[in-house]
Amino acid sequence: MNYTILDCYTDEPAGLGVPPYLGTYPRYLFGALDNPYYLTIDDLRLHKFGEPKKQPKTNIRIYNLTKNAVDVAKILAKTDILVVIAGIQTPGKYLSAVPGTLYEITQLIQDLKCRKILTGPAVSGSRLEGGKHAEKLNLNVFDEVDENFSGIDDYGGINPVKGAGVVKQIPYPIIVEIETGRGCSRKKHCSFCTEFRHDVEFREQKDILAEVKALKAAGVKYFRLGKQSCFYSYKGGKAEEIEKLLKPIAALKPDVLHIDNANPTMVDEEKTKLIVKYCTPGNVAAFGVESFDQEVIKKNNLNCEPEQVFNAVKIINKISGKRSENGMPVFLPGINILFGLIGESKATFEANYETLKKILDAGLLLRRINIRQVAVFEGTQLQKQAGVKFIKKNKKYYWKWRNQIRQDIDLPMLKRLVPEGTILRNVRTEIHDGNTTFARQFGTYPLIVGIKKKLELNKFYDVKIIGYMLRSVTGEVV
Ligand code: SF4
C-alpha cells in the first residue's frame, strides 16, 4: 500500500503546524505509516497551477516546497491512500505560508483516484478567518474522516522517533512543535475552546527526549515545546517534573529551545527560573487571557483574573526581562485577547485597555499582544449559547478597539522591548515585498523585521533596529 501525507497545516489552541513550524501530525503519521511520501499543500498548488508570473511579493502559497515537489505527478499516480492533515482553529497571520481551507483542499484533491482520508483538527472544524462559524466538511470527497487515523491521537500508538524521519523530505529550515501533553486540566472549559475533545494526558519525559534526539539527529536545530494547554502545568505543575523534562533536552544543545502556552495562575518564580535556566533566550509564554472584563470572564469561564495576569507578568519580568545575547529579552509573557466572546460590550474594551495600560505604565514588558476574533466551533459552549451574536453586534468597533491598543500600548511597548540601536542576532530573511525583505529569528513568537533592501532569502543576518511599525520593526543589516 503506497501512502502519501498531504500537509495543509494546522493551528489549534494548543499546537502550531504552519511553516516554518512543523506540527506533530505529519511526524506522528510518518511514524505510523509504511514509508510514506510527504507533500505540502504548496507542492500540490504548484503542481496544479504551475509557477505564476513573477510578482514583487514572494508567493507564499507555493513557498514551502518539499524535496518531492518536482515529482508530485509521479507520487500521486502511485498513491493508494492520501492522508490529508488540516485544521485551523486559532487563525492567525502567517508570514510565509497559507494554510489550506477545506474548500481549497476539496478542489485540489477531488479528481484524484486514490482513497482519501482526512485527519487533524479539521475533523472537528476549521476556519481560516476568525469571526465566523467553522467551514462545513464536504464528506463526498473524503472516504474516511478520522482524527485518530492510524492511532496518531493516542500516545500508546504513536512512534515519534520513526516519525522524525519525515524531516528528511523537507529542505527548508523548520522549528518543530513538540507535544508535552494534551487536554486541559480545568474542569469547565473556556467557552470557545476545542481542547475538550482530549482527556488530560502528559507524555513521559523519556519519550519526549527520545523524539527530540531523533529530530536533532535528522538535522533539526530549532524546537518549541509548544503542544500543550499550559507548559507550567506539565505533570501537575510540579517543578521537579519540569526540570526532569528540560534538563536532558537542554543538554543536547539545540540552537533554540522555547515554550508556548501558559496559564497565568500557574506561573511562579521556581518554574520560571527553570525555564530560564534550560531554555534559550527570546523565549515567550503566551497567556490565553482572552479578556480582562469580569463579565466576559465569568460568562465564558475564562481561566484567570486580571490581578493574576498582572502578577504573572511581574514575576516573569522580574526574573527574565533583561536583554539576552540574541538581542531579545530572555523570557517574556505574551497576551492573547479574543473578540466576540459571550457578554462582550464596550465595557470589555475599556477593561482590556485599562489592564494593558496598567502593565505598560508599570514599566513591564510584554513580547506581544495578540488580538483576534473568535472562530465558532461545533460542540463548544460559545456555539451552543451565542454563535456569532456578539461578533455581529460589536464588529463595527473592532478596528477602533484594536487600533487604540496598537497605537497606545503596542507601539510604546515595542520601543521598550527593542530600543533603537538594539542588534538582533541570527535573523533569517524569509520573504520579499517589493524591495523590502521581511526577516525574523527562529523561535516561539519572533519579532518581524522589515529591511529596506532586497536580500537573498533564507540567509541569517545580524540586524540593527532603526524604526517601528505598530507590531513589527524596521532594521538594517550590520
Ligand atoms: S485554559 Fe481554556 S482555552 Fe486554554 S486549553 Fe484550557 S479550556 Fe482551552
Side-chain angles (χ1 to χ4, degrees):
M1 206 55 90
N2 291 317
Y3 286 95
T4 297
I5 299 167
L6 176 64
D7 193 353
C8 302
Y9 316 135
T10 56
D11 193 350
E12 321 167 69
L16 178 59
V18 181
Y21 299 85
L22 180 71
T24 54
Y25 299 97
R27 306 193 321 264
Y28 294 174
L29 266 177
F30 193 87
L33 304 175
D34 185 20
N35 212 15
Y37 286 105
Y38 174 73
L39 296 178
T40 59
I41 190 165
D42 298 42
D43 291 329
L44 199 53
R45 288 170 181 145
L46 182 65
H47 163 69
K48 276 263 177 184
F49 306 115
E51 185 94 52
K53 268 203 259 144
K54 277 253 173 298
Q55 301 283 334
K57 189 166 181 185
T58 303
N59 188 339
I60 59 170
R61 299 183 62 80
I62 51 166
Y63 186 65
N64 302 286
L65 301 174
T66 68
K67 286 188 178 160
N68 303 317
V70 285
D71 290 322
V72 172
K74 269 192 244 160
I75 290 170
L76 291 176
K78 59 183 174 189
T79 296
D80 299 304
I81 299 182
L82 181 76
V83 190
V84 178
I85 300 164
I88 300 296
Q89 298 193 336
T90 47
K93 282 214 174 87
Y94 309 103
L95 181 65
S96 60
V98 181
T101 60
L102 287 174
Y103 177 78
E104 183 193 10
I105 297 165
T106 302
Q107 302 297 311
L108 286 171
I109 67 168
Q110 62 190 356
D111 297 338
L112 300 178
K113 298 282 175 273
C114 56
R115 185 173 169 78
K116 304 171 196 90
I117 296 167
L118 177 69
T119 192
V123 171
S124 61
S126 185
R127 181 45 97 179
L128 198 49
E129 322 101 78
K132 296 184 175 162
H133 284 284
E135 282 186 281
K136 285 266 172 288
L137 194 56
N138 180 350
L139 291 169
N140 296 330
V141 176
F142 294 100
D143 300 283
E144 197 180 327
V145 172
D146 182 0
E147 199 159 8
N148 193 22
F149 178 69
S150 281
I152 57 162
D153 204 25
D154 164 9
Y155 285 164
I158 60 176
N159 186 346
V161 170
K162 183 172 164 233
V166 75
V167 304
K168 301 247 168 72
Q169 299 186 33
I170 303 175
Y172 46 88
I174 47 170
I175 170 162
V176 290
E177 180 88 325
I178 299 286
E179 183 166 13
T180 62
R182 59 181 57 171
C184 175
S185 44
R186 303 186 67 228
K187 282 201 181 70
K188 201 167 165 232
H189 286 174
C190 304
S191 66
F192 58 90
C193 183
T194 48
E195 198 56 30
F196 62 81
R197 60 188 203 272
H198 292 121
D199 291 335
V200 178
E201 208 178 345
F202 296 103
R203 289 181 72 199
E204 289 301 322
Q205 286 96 337
K206 65 171 178 21
D207 296 338
I208 298 171
L209 179 64
E211 182 182 17
V212 172
K213 268 188 186 162
L215 285 160
K216 195 145 186 300
V220 176
K221 297 176 176 173
Y222 314 110
F223 295 84
R224 178 166 105 149
L225 302 170
K227 199 163 192 298
Q228 76 283 118
S229 60
C230 169
F231 185 82
Y232 281 80
S233 300
Y234 178 69
K235 287 201 169 182
K238 294 194 191 90
E240 61 273 22
E241 296 289 354
I242 289 179
E243 180 154 34
K244 209 171 132 192
L245 170 69
L246 291 177
K247 193 176 174 179
I249 298 178
L252 300 174
K253 298 201 183 314
D255 289 20
V256 168
L257 179 61
H258 284 175
I259 65 161
D260 183 12
N261 304 308
N263 176 345
T265 62
M266 297 299 290
V267 171
D268 63 19
E269 293 207 5
E270 189 184 12
K271 285 181 273 183
T272 302
K273 282 179 183 159
L274 290 175
I275 293 169
V276 171
K277 181 171 176 190
Y278 293 115
C279 292
T280 57
N283 201 1
V284 181
F287 294 165
V289 172
E290 324 304 359
S291 179
F292 289 105
D293 178 1
Q294 291 292 351
E295 189 70 11
V296 174
I297 294 171
K298 210 161 63 208
K299 289 194 165 145
N300 295 274
N301 192 40
L302 303 182
N303 69 1
C304 50
E305 295 288 325
E307 227 16 69
Q308 293 172 314
V309 181
F310 189 75
N311 279 338
V313 169
K314 250 181 18 195
I315 291 173
I316 299 187
N317 268 265
K318 184 178 112 187
I319 293 170
S320 51
K322 55 186 177 312
R323 197 160 308 285
S324 73
E325 64 274 13
N326 75 9
M328 291 300 290
V330 176
F331 175 42
L332 287 181
I335 285 184
N336 302 338
I337 298 285
L338 265 184
F339 287 164
L341 293 176
I342 304 165
E344 180 183 76
S345 65
K346 282 187 188 170
T348 309
F349 168 70
E350 281 153 24
N352 289 343
Y353 186 87
E354 270 163 29
T355 314
L356 292 170
K357 188 80 174 38
K358 183 177 153 190
I359 293 172
L360 178 75
D361 292 344
L364 299 167
L365 281 171
L366 294 174
R367 161 57 198 95
R368 86 327 168 226
I369 303 162
N370 186 26
I371 306 172
R372 64 182 180 89
Q373 290 177 50
V374 71
V376 183
F377 291 102
E378 201 70 29
T380 57
Q381 183 203 339
L382 179 67
Q383 181 250 334
K384 290 178 199 154
Q385 229 171 294
V388 292
K389 180 176 148 190
F390 288 92
I391 295 168
K392 278 192 172 157
K393 186 173 143 231
N394 296 324
K395 208 172 181 99
K396 52 186 174 295
Y397 304 119
Y398 287 165
W399 187 87
K400 193 172 147 233
W401 289 357
R402 184 184 282 129
N403 191 48
Q404 212 166 325
I405 293 175
R406 295 285 175 246
Q407 299 282 353
D408 297 356
I409 297 161
D410 276 289
L411 189 57
M413 189 70 90
L414 201 51
K415 291 181 176 173
R416 186 183 290 164
L417 184 81
V418 280
E420 240 174 85
T422 304
I423 294 178
L424 296 186
R425 309 274 172 202
N426 288 321
V427 179
R428 175 184 169 238
T429 49
E430 212 162 315
I431 62 159
H432 291 138
D433 190 354
N435 284 326
T436 303
T437 306
F438 288 95
R440 56 184 171 169
Q441 294 171 321
F442 266 100
T444 181
Y445 288 94
L447 187 59
I448 296 174
V449 189
I451 304 160
K452 280 239 162 293
K453 209 172 187 189
K454 203 156 186 177
L455 296 167
E456 192 183 341
L457 297 184
N458 204 16
K459 297 278 173 222
F460 289 82
Y461 295 92
D462 292 345
V463 176
K464 183 163 89 180
I465 304 307
I466 56 168
Y468 302 87
M469 315 290 275
L470 291 180
R471 300 193 71 207
S472 55
V473 291
T474 55
E476 63 188 19
V477 172
V478 291

